[in-house]
Amino acid sequence: MIKLNGLFDKKIAVVNIGIPSFAEDLKKQSVPVQHVDWRPPAGGNARMRSLIDKIKKGAKS
Amino acid sequence: MIDVTEANAVALARIRAAEPKVVGIGICGDVVPGMKKDLVLHAGPPITWDRMSGPMKGAVLGGLVYEGLAKDVAAAEKLVTSGGVKFSPWHEHAGVGPMAGVATARMPVWIVEDKVHGNRTYCTFNEGLGKVLRYGAYSAEVIDRLRWMEGTLAPILAKTLVLKGEINLLALMSQALQMGDEGHNRNRAGTSLLIRELGPALMDVDAPVADRKRSLEFINGNDHFFLNLTMPMCKVIMMAAEWVEGSSIVTTMCRNGTDFGIRVAGLKDQWFTGPAGIVDGLYFAGYTKEDGNPDIGDSAITETCGLGAFSMAAAPAIVKFVGGTVADALTYTRRMYEITDGESEAFRIPNLDFRGSPQGIDIVKVCETGIAPQINTGVAHKEAGIGQIGAGLVNPPMKCFEDALEAFAERYFSE
Amino acid sequence: MSVVKMEIRRGAYFDSVTLMRISADAKKIAGVTAAVVGMGTDYNIDSLKRLGMWTDAAADVTPSDLMLAISADDDKLAAEALVAVDGLLKARQAAKSETGDWLPSTLAGAIKVLPEANVVLISVPGAHAAREARQALEAGLHVMLFSDNVSLEEELALKEFAVGRELLVMGPDCGTAILNGVPLAFANVVRRGTIGVVAASGTGLQEFTSLVHRFGAGISQAIGVGGRDLSDAIGGRMTLLAVRALAADPQTRVLALVSKPPAPQTLEKLLVELKSVGKPVVVYFIGAPADAIRAAGFMPASHLEDAARQASQLALGRDLTSLVDDAALDHAAEGITLHGSYLRGLYSGGTLCDEAQRRLLPVLNVISSNTPISGGKKLTDIHQSEGHTIVDLGDDDFTRGRAHPMIDPTARQERLAREIADPSVGMILLDVVLGYGSHPDMAGELASTIRDAGAARMATGQAPLIAAAICGTEDDPQDFAAQVKTLEAVGVKVFPAHAALCAFAARVMGANR
């Protein structure tokens, strides 16, 4: 039986990464939401990002 | 294949387990590993004379005169330029020094020991405010004061410690944090608690009353006296994580007035440097950013350990230096949780519901988020000997962390 | 003589919607002839060149750098405008959050503040979206992936990972979902009920759920799966997971599927899965022949209103009158004479644009579009209508560097004005999509264009007939009833469902051949 980790029985609480108005709309409806002040990883530096991904992939636990 | 998460957990466990205590006072040349008569220790990463900033040069010259290696400042300069002295970072000798951080062999030093892992660290005594060696002043007044500290203050404090026994620095610092200190730019509570620790024993020390009184007045007249204990305390705590294989946690952040340098637990003995920054903050009347020296001192070891700017939420008064609000102070600390792997057990912040301060800066997180560690600091005038001209906020250059990340990936993750 | 001033901010980042709003506000500043406030993407750099605003300062700009470029009547005005734009940027930066002034910069930071989080809504640029989604899944959270420009390989990897952990990945390019009654991104406020719907279409889901509400039934869950989920490359992974979850959900008593026809192998897998659901299933595979669906034992729908009505009938256990009321439509169309030969449809929703083309192709024989259905004609120039034309203004080709027409009416207003002024145009169709995320007063914006642009032709009694359907409910943040009134006040005929609008258009165009 697929229960999606009990999602349908939970109170929806959202982390919003990207367009701020999505978080504002959820707040208007009193839905718990946390907006993330997102910026491109490693300041958009592709080389840094691939190094980071390499390390994180190998970081295991 | 190294497991970075596991390595960092090990490093953090060692950091949390450390028990730093003041165990005594010694003479630099006697107790500091690798110290020599013709060696001058300094703050920050390795640097040569020609690249040193004004305050650092002034401190070196003054230190050489104090040490007796040169009869005056002119002779001291000749000695240096002829290669008659060597320079070495305090960090490579298990110690730390505030601002220029210059130390020579005769200087008395605090001895701090981590009772769990056995490491010892060292730091000179804080001279006070105004015209002092650490800001590059080298006048007779400065030298005289250093001589008094060596001849009178240090022996008295050494005897006091013998009577008092070891001082639990973690206990003092965690209390000071709850009293509005952050261990870097606000140390009044810590200094006050230290006087309480020493007071009764000081009464029984075999030395003239006038000298003991003057010693107490000396400590009492300098809110930052405790800084020279918070720094070796943080140094010895971070040493517990050196050099955990595969760990990406920063164990050293320091500046020499020209360069900012970091070291990483899993990259033994390697320095990663970049240009030291200019401080953004309040400058005392008559001074501006143009007069300020770039960031200088080993005091960033406090931030490395979760104090200083990382605990700004505990000492909101600091933000007045940047025209901020109490909410800003909380924000600065909150931001640091995003680049650290752990939260301190001992250092808890009342304004954040006694949450442990952000501890264990991770170079991967710094590079990924683009959030540089925050540092609060005093600003030295760029000319030797003028002293502090302001205070505020500064960050290390991202270059240090990016270079470290490259080296880390190269060391542990190249095919 | 125009003066161009430019400022580059290295490593500064703002989301595209915020930057578009600031650009639009910048253009309104006195003396400003043009403004480009955007990240250093190829598109924005091209815009600078196109507007004659490119300077050497932009030479080594990267997509991680923010460009502020102002063209104004003189130096002083340009400098003032830059200061004003800086103010707008600062104001956006001071966004408040649950934690006062501080916003976490990472998912991990957000989870520390909101440990009960169970859904991550991701709308960052496509190049970074898959990475964020992966982190969310690794943290055990469900994902709504609003971002597009995510590669097929990334989508497959995400969905395989997610299915293994029983986590949803709604998307990529998923604009609409309603979970546990909560509208996410662009979604309507609809009654909670027993119909669970899985959709590979955004506005299709919005119209379906709004009509279910209109019929008096309700939605248990509305799960978007992204437009490519039912391709053979992705194999319907998310659709299957969602269907299984709804089959096991005690709140869901009726299932509905809305999508373009699945690829053949995937369709087979899906039909097998649907057989074991054990609840009635209404299937609307847009444009697909109904026989295969009926043969497999499910209820085919011929359009969105039909799908909503069938599902609602099953949920409520009673027959429901269709909103496509033949008698009423006959009456409405009676005696209408058009003053131009051609029909123009200006849509903000892709599925609705499709639905209109399907309904009207048999009547009009040739329909041009930027997204033609099979049997339709591709426009040579998407900005220039040819004969009967129905366009999806929300499609990528129209929205590059611009806000979506559901948020920002400007592009549609410009096109609408041109169509109204074109004497060969006899009828114009519009969709107005309400709900969270959409413009607060789209009807008002369209009405003002209709009033202004239509004045000349109206004076001569030659105005085109304009008809619209409003997708939404009376519980949406916009005032549904007022939106209807606003359009009717400028002579627009408003219909209760898109299918009804199409049926009306078919009658009128048929009678005016």
Side-chain angles (χ1 to χ4, degrees), chain B residues 325 327-328 330-332 334-335 337-338 340 343 355 365 368-369 371, chain C residues 99-110 112-113 131-132 135:
Chain B
T325 63
D328 292 329
L330 271 63
T331 296
Y332 279 114
R334 284 202 170 103
R335 202 172 284 150
Y337 284 111
E338 305 227 71
T340 49
E343 299 183 11
R355 187 173 179 187
K365 289 183 175 176
E368 185 167 14
T369 61
I371 296 172
Chain C
T99 48
D101 286 327
W102 176 75
L103 286 173
S105 306
T106 61
L107 172 65
K112 277 204 187 125
V113 179
R131 191 173 185 274
E132 298 297 328
Q135 285 179 4

Side-chain angles (χ1 to χ4, degrees), chain C residues 242-326:
Chain C
V243 164
R244 286 184 189 133
L246 292 174
D249 174 35
Q251 299 294 106
T252 300
R253 304 225 194 97
V254 178
L255 260 79
L257 269 89
V258 176
S259 168
K260 38 186 214 289
Q265 283 174 312
T266 306
L267 176 59
E268 260 184 65
K269 264 196 284 181
L270 185 58
L271 291 176
V272 167
E273 187 61 44
L274 289 173
K275 283 199 174 75
S276 57
V277 162
K279 301 173 185 178
V281 184
V282 174
V283 179
Y284 177 43
F285 285 157
I286 304 161
D291 308 337
I293 297 166
R294 209 173 278 119
F298 310 115
M299 279 143 286
S302 45
H303 50 73
L304 289 164
E305 187 271 351
D306 185 29
R309 189 175 62 86
Q310 289 197 53
S312 300
Q313 285 187 155
L314 289 162
L316 298 172
R318 60 171 193 273
D319 281 344
L320 295 165
T321 318
S322 172
L323 295 166
V324 184
D325 181 342
D326 287 325

Side-chain angles (χ1 to χ4, degrees), chain B residues 196-404:
Chain B
R196 276 173 63 167
E197 288 291 303
L198 298 172
L202 188 60
M203 296 283 284
D204 290 331
V205 163
D206 178 18
V209 169
D211 287 345
R212 284 183 284 144
K213 187 174 175 197
R214 192 162 163 224
S215 298
L216 209 47
E217 280 167 344
F218 180 78
I219 299 172
N220 194 39
N222 175 13
D223 279 344
H224 290 296
F225 193 77
F226 193 59
L227 174 68
N228 289 44
L229 282 173
T230 66
M231 287 175 57
M233 172 191 74
C234 292
K235 170 75 180 162
V236 89
I237 289 172
M238 297 320 291
M239 273 175 84
E242 288 172 349
W243 301 94
V244 172
E245 192 73 356
S247 168
S248 56
I249 287 179
V250 176
T251 59
T252 303
M253 287 201 297
C254 60
R255 328 71 120 205
N256 57 31
T258 308
D259 313 301
F260 195 108
I262 71 167
R263 296 188 307 176
V264 177
L267 296 170
K268 182 175 193 296
D269 293 334
Q270 281 183 270
W271 285 103
F272 301 98
T273 61
I278 295 292
V279 177
D280 176 30
L282 265 187
Y283 284 79
F284 304 157
Y287 295 109
T288 68
K289 247 186 191 165
E290 276 64 50
D291 302 314
N293 200 69
D295 202 18
I296 185 169
D298 284 333
S299 54
I301 194 66
T302 56
E303 276 84 12
T304 311
C305 195
L307 294 171
F310 279 52
S311 290
M312 213 188 304
I318 297 290
V319 290
K320 286 197 283 198
F321 283 105
V322 282
T325 63
V326 173
D328 292 329
L330 271 63
T331 296
Y332 279 114
T333 292
R334 284 202 170 103
R335 202 172 284 150
M336 296 301 102
Y337 284 111
E338 305 227 71
I339 59 170
T340 49
D341 283 340
E343 299 183 11
S344 172
E345 286 287 319
F347 308 142
R348 293 187 174 275
I349 302 176
N351 284 338
L352 295 178
D353 269 320
F354 297 95
R355 187 173 179 187
S357 71
Q359 193 177 56
I361 301 165
D362 187 335
I363 56 171
V364 179
K365 289 183 175 176
V366 170
C367 290
E368 185 167 14
T369 61
I371 296 172
Q374 188 60 57
I375 296 173
N376 285 341
T377 191
V379 188
H381 196 286
K382 61 189 178 194
E383 283 168 31
I386 296 185
Q388 184 178 0
I389 60 167
L393 302 170
V394 75
N395 302 97
M398 282 304 288
K399 176 180 183 293
C400 295
F401 302 91
E402 287 169 352
D403 289 349

Side-chain angles (χ1 to χ4, degrees), chain C residues 203-204 207-208 211 214-215 284 301-309 322-326 329 347 351-360 427 429-431 467-471 494-507:
Chain C
T203 34
E207 174 81 343
F208 178 88
L211 292 176
R214 183 86 54 80
F215 282 119
Y284 177 43
S302 45
H303 50 73
L304 289 164
E305 187 271 351
D306 185 29
R309 189 175 62 86
S322 172
L323 295 166
V324 184
D325 181 342
D326 287 325
L329 289 168
Y347 279 84
T351 307
L352 301 176
C353 171
D354 264 14
E355 200 167 73
Q357 289 182 65
R358 267 169 231 295
R359 183 68 180 80
L360 295 168
M427 182 167 190
L429 303 183
L430 299 166
D431 66 345
I470 301 186
C471 169
V494 182
F495 292 88
H498 184 246
L501 170 67
C502 294
F504 172 75
R507 281 165 168 77

Side-chain angles (χ1 to χ4, degrees), chain C residues 387-469:
Chain C
H388 302 300
T389 298
I390 303 177
V391 287
D392 171 16
L393 292 160
D395 185 66
D396 282 353
D397 285 336
F398 278 111
T399 58
R400 222 159 267 134
R402 304 197 71 141
H404 194 279
M406 271 166 50
I407 306 174
D408 181 346
T410 320
R412 186 150 65 148
Q413 284 171 311
E414 286 163 8
R415 188 64 176 257
L416 180 57
R418 280 193 285 129
E419 304 292 357
I420 290 175
D422 180 347
S424 70
V425 173
M427 182 167 190
I428 300 175
L429 303 183
L430 299 166
D431 66 345
V432 175
V433 182
L434 307 181
Y436 280 103
S438 291
H439 193 280
D441 182 17
M442 184 58 70
E445 295 286 330
L446 295 172
S448 86
T449 301
I450 291 166
R451 205 177 300 121
D452 298 340
R457 272 185 85 185
M458 259 216 260
T460 63
Q462 301 286 309
L465 172 63
I466 306 181

Side-chain angles (χ1 to χ4, degrees), chain C residues 120-124 128-130 132-133 143-148 150 154-155 158 169-175 226:
Chain C
V120 182
L121 173 46
I122 298 169
S123 55
V124 301
H128 303 281
E132 298 297 328
V143 170
M144 179 167 176
L145 193 45
F146 181 89
S147 309
D148 59 7
V150 173
E154 286 174 322
E155 179 175 351
L158 284 171
V169 172
M170 299 188 287
D173 205 7
C174 172

Side-chain angles (χ1 to χ4, degrees), chain C residues 37-284:
Chain C
V37 181
M39 303 307 292
T41 58
D42 287 343
Y43 178 83
N44 286 333
I45 290 171
D46 283 345
S47 295
L48 285 177
K49 290 184 177 150
R50 195 170 30 90
L51 293 163
M53 292 169 70
W54 195 90
T55 71
D56 285 336
D60 59 348
V61 130
T62 74
S64 304
D65 304 319
L66 177 63
M67 308 186 298
L68 281 66
I70 297 281
S71 174
D73 295 331
D74 64 42
D75 248 5
K76 183 163 170 290
L77 287 166
E80 281 169 5
L82 273 179
V83 170
V85 169
D86 179 61
L88 292 169
L89 287 167
K90 281 205 174 77
R92 284 309 293 178
Q93 266 170 330
K96 301 278 174 190
S97 73
E98 299 241 314
T99 48
D101 286 327
W102 176 75
L103 286 173
S105 306
T106 61
L107 172 65
I111 292 173
K112 277 204 187 125
V113 179
L114 192 68
E116 69 270 31
N118 38 44
V119 176
V120 182
L121 173 46
I122 298 169
S123 55
V124 301
H128 303 281
R131 191 173 185 274
E132 298 297 328
R134 180 66 185 230
Q135 285 179 4
L137 294 171
E138 283 171 355
L141 302 174
H142 300 272
V143 170
M144 179 167 176
L145 193 45
F146 181 89
S147 309
D148 59 7
N149 289 312
V150 173
S151 76
L152 201 56
E153 292 71 33
E154 286 174 322
E155 179 175 351
L156 182 60
L158 284 171
K159 286 179 173 174
E160 279 182 328
F161 187 75
V163 168
R165 284 162 173 68
E166 279 192 41
L167 291 170
L168 292 172
V169 172
M170 299 188 287
D173 205 7
C174 172
T176 307
I178 307 176
L179 293 181
N180 298 356
V182 175
L184 294 167
F186 290 83
N188 303 88
V189 180
V190 304
R191 189 180 300 109
R192 200 79 197 275
T194 59
I195 299 170
V197 52
V198 181
S201 143
T203 34
L205 191 50
Q206 288 194 260
E207 174 81 343
F208 178 88
T209 53
S210 297
L211 292 176
V212 159
H213 178 96
R214 183 86 54 80
F215 282 119
I219 297 291
S220 59
Q221 309 288 343
I223 300 173
V225 294
R228 295 186 303 217
D229 193 65
L230 290 166
S231 64
D232 275 340
I234 306 292
R237 277 169 168 73
M238 245 332 114
T239 304
L240 291 168
L241 185 71
V243 164
R244 286 184 189 133
L246 292 174
D249 174 35
Q251 299 294 106
T252 300
R253 304 225 194 97
V254 178
L255 260 79
L257 269 89
V258 176
S259 168
K260 38 186 214 289
Q265 283 174 312
T266 306
L267 176 59
E268 260 184 65
K269 264 196 284 181
L270 185 58
L271 291 176
V272 167
E273 187 61 44
L274 289 173
K275 283 199 174 75
S276 57
V277 162
K279 301 173 185 178
V281 184
V282 174
V283 179
Y284 177 43

